[in-house]
Amino acid sequence: MKKVYLDNAATTSLNGEVLNDMLPYLTDVYGNSNSLHSFGRDAMAGVDHARDQIASAIGAKSTEIYFTSGGTEANNWAIRGIAYANRKKGNHIIVSSIEHHSILETCKDLESEGFVVSYLPVDDTGLVSVADLLHEFRPNTILVSIMMVNNEIGTIQHIKAIGDILKDTNTIFHCDAVQAMSSCKVDVNDMYIDALSMSSHKIHGPKGVGALYVKKGTPIKKLIYGGEQEFNRRGGTTNVAGIVGFGKAMELNIKNLDYTNKKIKELSTYFIKKVEYEIPDIKINGNLKQKVSSIVNISFDFVDGESILMLLDLEGIAVSTGSACASGSPEKSHVLKAMGLDAKDVNSAVRFSFGIDNTKEEIDYTVEVLARAVTKLRAISALNKKKKVVKK
Ligand SMILES: *Cc1c(COP(=O)(O)O)cnc(C)c1O
C-alpha cells in the first residue's frame, strides 16, 4: 500500500544526517557529560556544540539555552517557573486562548494557586489582537505568553509587535516557537522575546528533546531539582545523543529554510487549488495571508473529520483532526472553537501538514482519495438525513 505522511505538525521524520551525527553518542561516546574524565568531556563537547547551534539559530548566547525533554517541558517550565519567580511582583498572566495544552493546562493549575490568567480571544482567522492585549494588561501582569505559529491552523501571530509593546515594561514575554521553527526566521533580540520554547522532533530531529531560551537576567524558578546540569537550572543526566541530534537538526533547518519554505509553499498551493477544484462545500480555516504554508486546515461540510481521517488511513494517508494531543480524546479543537467556528465546522475539520519529504504525486493521490471519501461520506449523511425525515 502507498504510504503518504501529511501529519508533519504532529512530528517529523528523523533526518539521516542527524541520525549519523547522533550514532557515536549512542555507542562509543557514552560518558555522562557531567563526569570530569575524558569520557565525560567527550560527551560534553557534543552538548556544547549543540548548544551553540541552537543559540546561533535564534540570535541568543549559548549560556541562555537550557535543554529540556521537549516543547512540553519547556512550556511548563517557562510558565510555572516565571510565575513563581515573579510572584512578589504580581499574579497576573496573559496568554492566548489558542495556546498549546502544555501552556493552557499549566495556567489552569496556576489559577488554583491564586494566579489570575487572562485568555485572549482570537479573531475568526486565529489572530490575537494587540489592542486586546493592551486592554488586558495590568500593573501586576508578570508574564505574557503568545505562541508564534499555531499548530492546528498555522496562523502566525504578530510576535514582534507584541514584544515591542512589552519591552519597556517589567512584564516577561514568553513565546512558544515549537511549531514556528520549521518555517520562520526567529531572532529573540529583534522580536524582544525573553523566553522561547523549541522542540527537536518538529524539525526532523529526535523526539524527547527540546530547549528553553531564557534571556540573561530573566527571573525563573527551576522546576526539576537534582544535579547541577544545565547551568544548575535543570537537573537530570543529560540526553547527550538527543541534544546532539537536536543541534544538527536545527543547523540544517536554518541552512535549508528558504528552500524548504519555497518547496512546501508550492506543494500546499497545489494541494489547495486541487482540493478546491475537486471538492465543493469546503472552508479553509486560518489566516491565509498570515500563516505558514505547511499547515492547511479544512472543514468539509456535512461530514465528520474523524471519518475522513479513518478513510484516508485505510488508503495509507496520514492526516489529523485538531492536534495530535487532542485526538483520541472527545474534546474537540479549542483552537477552532476560539475562532468562533460553529460545531459542525469544528467537527468536520481535518489538518493536512506538509513536510520537505512530500511530493506532488503524493498530493495527487491524496486529493483523489479525499474526494472519493468525502463523496461517500456525504452520500451516507444525506441518507441518514432522509431516514430521519421519514421517521418523523
Ligand atoms: C508539538 C508542540 C508542542 C509540544 O512539544 P513536544 O516536544 O512534543 O512536547 C508545544 N507547542 C506547540 C505549538 C507544538 O506544536
Side-chain angles (χ1 to χ4, degrees):
M1 183 169 65
K2 257 190 212 158
K3 286 274 212 178
V4 180
Y5 187 74
L6 298 181
D7 203 11
N8 287 277
T11 195
T12 58
S13 61
L14 185 69
N15 177 292
E17 278 184 65
V18 170
L19 175 64
N20 273 339
D21 273 22
M22 289 173 70
L23 282 174
Y25 294 91
L26 291 163
T27 51
D28 300 339
V29 193
Y30 54 80
N32 183 324
S33 56
N34 263 41
S35 300
L36 297 175
H37 45 63
S38 68
F39 291 78
R41 286 195 303 275
D42 288 349
M44 188 53 109
V47 174
D48 286 342
H49 181 57
R51 208 182 298 279
D52 294 343
Q53 286 167 313
I54 303 295
S56 90
I58 60 167
K61 297 186 197 83
S62 297
T63 48
E64 296 172 318
I65 302 297
Y66 302 90
F67 288 114
T68 65
S69 65
T72 297
E73 186 192 323
N75 281 344
N76 270 262
W77 185 17
I79 300 295
R80 193 177 290 274
I82 290 169
Y84 287 170
N86 293 276
R87 195 167 208 160
K88 289 209 181 82
K89 284 188 221 151
N91 68 341
H92 182 235
I93 298 168
I94 301 176
V95 300
S96 86
S97 48
I98 62 166
E99 295 299 309
H100 189 263
H101 287 295
S102 52
I103 299 276
L104 294 176
E105 294 296 314
T106 304
C107 285
K108 257 195 230 159
D109 190 58
L110 287 176
E111 283 179 294
S112 74
E113 295 180 19
F115 286 92
V116 175
V117 183
S118 299
Y119 300 89
L120 294 181
V122 292
D123 69 10
D124 59 357
T125 72
L127 270 179
V128 170
S129 107
V130 175
D132 285 339
L133 173 69
L134 285 172
H135 185 256
E136 285 300 324
F137 196 81
R138 306 173 193 174
N140 66 341
T141 306
I142 51 175
L143 169 65
V144 171
S145 178
I146 308 286
M147 72 201 316
M148 195 171 295
V149 170
N150 180 273
N151 47 303
E152 291 187 35
I153 49 169
T155 304
I156 307 169
Q157 302 298 338
H158 299 291
I159 293 300
K160 186 173 173 167
I162 295 168
D164 195 28
I165 285 169
L166 297 174
K167 75 174 193 290
D168 298 321
T169 68
N170 285 324
T171 306
I172 294 163
F173 181 30
H174 168 259
C175 177
D176 173 357
V178 170
Q179 200 62 243
M181 296 310 299
S182 59
S183 33
C184 301
K185 287 203 172 89
V186 176
D187 185 315
V188 289
N189 298 308
D190 181 52
M191 296 170 158
Y192 311 107
I193 294 167
D194 300 309
L196 182 105
S197 300
M198 294 165 271
S199 177
S200 157
H201 75 100
K202 304 277 172 83
I203 56 166
H204 299 279
K207 292 169 188 44
V209 55
L212 182 66
Y213 154 80
V214 183
K215 187 180 177 159
K216 187 168 183 274
T218 305
I220 181 165
K221 195 171 188 293
K222 72 164 115 168
L223 274 199
I224 301 190
Y225 288 80
E228 298 193 345
Q229 292 90 354
E230 298 304 305
F231 312 114
N232 199 16
R233 286 183 129 168
R234 196 265 186 192
T237 300
T238 307
N239 173 8
V240 178
I243 288 168
V244 166
F246 180 23
K248 181 68 175 183
M250 186 63 92
E251 185 193 310
L252 293 173
N253 177 59
I254 299 298
K255 193 174 106 191
N256 300 327
L257 200 62
D258 291 334
Y259 170 76
T260 312
N261 276 338
K262 184 170 169 282
K263 198 191 153 193
I264 290 178
K265 186 168 186 171
E266 277 168 19
L267 277 180
S268 94
T269 307
Y270 179 70
F271 171 75
I272 291 172
K273 272 205 188 121
K274 218 168 151 108
V275 173
E276 281 179 331
Y277 182 77
E278 299 280 345
I279 309 174
D281 303 316
I282 63 167
K283 285 184 207 77
I284 300 178
N285 302 313
N287 192 310
L288 295 189
K289 289 197 202 90
Q290 173 105 2
K291 73 183 263 302
V292 296
S293 334
S294 54
I295 298 178
V296 179
N297 189 306
I298 307 179
S299 294
F300 298 86
D301 286 0
F302 321 118
V303 292
D304 192 40
E306 233 130 76
S307 309
I308 296 181
L309 182 150
M310 282 187 282
L311 288 188
L312 294 189
D313 183 44
L314 284 177
E315 310 218 29
I317 301 163
V319 297
S320 141
T321 57
S323 66
C325 325
S327 31
S329 71
E331 171 72 41
K332 293 286 179 195
S333 166
H334 66 291
V335 176
L336 298 177
K337 273 192 211 157
M339 287 160 60
L341 267 66
D342 57 30
K344 73 177 187 16
D345 287 340
V346 173
N347 285 330
S348 71
V350 177
R351 178 186 72 184
F352 304 84
S353 49
F354 305 99
I356 192 68
D357 306 326
N358 292 127
T359 64
K360 230 174 144 191
E361 290 68 40
E362 289 180 337
I363 306 285
D364 288 337
Y365 174 65
T366 300
V367 177
E368 179 207 313
V369 174
L370 180 65
R372 244 194 291 128
V374 171
T375 306
K376 189 166 156 185
L377 292 168
R378 281 178 180 167
I380 297 168
S381 95
L383 273 179
N384 286 342
K385 266 186 214 131
K386 272 184 205 146
K387 262 191 217 148
K388 270 183 208 147
V389 174
V390 172
K391 266 187 199 160
K392 277 180 195 165

